[in-house]
Amino acid sequence: QSAGAALAGAHAALMGALWLWGRMTVTTVLAAVTAEYAVVTVWFLLYFPWPSVLDPAQAEPPAREIWADFVQFCRPLGLAGWAGFLYSFADRWLLQRFSGSTEQAYLAIAQQFSVVSLIAAVSFINILWKEAAHAHHRGDKEMMGRIFLRSARVLYFIAAALTCFAIPFSRVLLPRLLGPAYA
């Protein structure tokens, strides 16, 4: 987590410096992101005791068991990660290929506006997980089903309501929030 926070801070500082120096282009931003991840990767390789982690045969038995549990836990996440990557890449590539950079910019803006709905949903989801965990602890599967159905409807309504509310005001919101170029 500290490495992620440091990477985010370094990225913000670097982007601010590129913007101040007038050197912010797509090429320089992508090169900066590549360099940032390369530095963090090298730092991880030097900082963590990788040989014992990467080679379970050299590790002590508890580390070997932890490594096996970790691999078993992460295996389904690997498939989900690749599916998410392929979806995101195909989405942007198809949009760039068939619609152009303007439509890709509009997609990025729409995704930023969708974050507003997610902010409202995150606080609700924390309460949902607490109630679902309590029902699971009691073994009340019927209550868990009711919690899920009710909360899914509420979350969908919140997202739909915020989106539907913003649509009529898009001609006002876009120039004010993003500048006249997007109008």
Side-chain angles (χ1 to χ4, degrees):
Q1 289 177 347
S2 60
L7 181 62
H11 179 72
L14 188 56
M15 293 302 113
L18 288 173
W19 180 71
L20 285 173
W21 296 330
R23 302 248 191 245
M24 186 174 262
T25 65
V26 173
T27 305
T28 57
V29 169
L30 291 176
V33 169
T34 303
E36 291 166 7
Y37 277 94
V39 167
V40 168
T41 301
V42 169
W43 179 75
F44 268 6
L45 290 173
L46 295 175
Y47 183 73
F48 291 108
W50 289 104
S52 65
V53 174
L54 292 178
D55 187 9
Q58 294 179 2
E60 296 177 14
R64 204 174 304 141
E65 292 171 15
I66 292 170
W67 180 256
D69 289 344
F70 178 74
V71 168
Q72 182 180 2
F73 177 78
C74 289
R75 190 172 290 139
L77 298 176
L79 180 61
W82 276 104
F85 165 74
L86 290 174
Y87 166 77
S88 179
F89 178 79
D91 193 28
R92 293 186 188 280
W93 181 80
L94 288 169
L95 194 57
Q96 179 69 31
R97 175 88 166 101
F98 295 107
S99 295
S101 58
T102 303
E103 295 300 321
Q104 197 172 32
Y106 283 129
L107 173 67
I109 293 165
Q111 288 174 335
Q112 289 176 356
F113 277 113
S114 72
V115 169
V116 174
S117 298
L118 291 175
I119 290 171
V122 165
S123 60
F124 185 76
I125 287 174
N126 289 335
I127 297 168
L128 164 73
W129 280 115
K130 179 196 161 291
E131 293 298 323
H134 186 62
H136 182 269
H137 180 69
R138 289 190 324 244
D140 192 356
K141 293 187 180 197
E142 184 179 318
M143 181 63 167
M144 288 175 59
R146 281 197 314 264
I147 289 171
F148 174 75
L149 285 176
R150 204 176 306 153
S151 62
R153 289 177 184 149
V154 169
L155 288 174
Y156 182 80
F157 176 76
I158 289 171
L162 287 173
T163 303
C164 291
F165 177 75
I167 289 172
F169 300 104
S170 61
R171 291 191 189 276
V172 176
L173 290 173
L174 282 176
R176 291 194 182 192
L177 295 175
L178 304 168
Y182 285 98

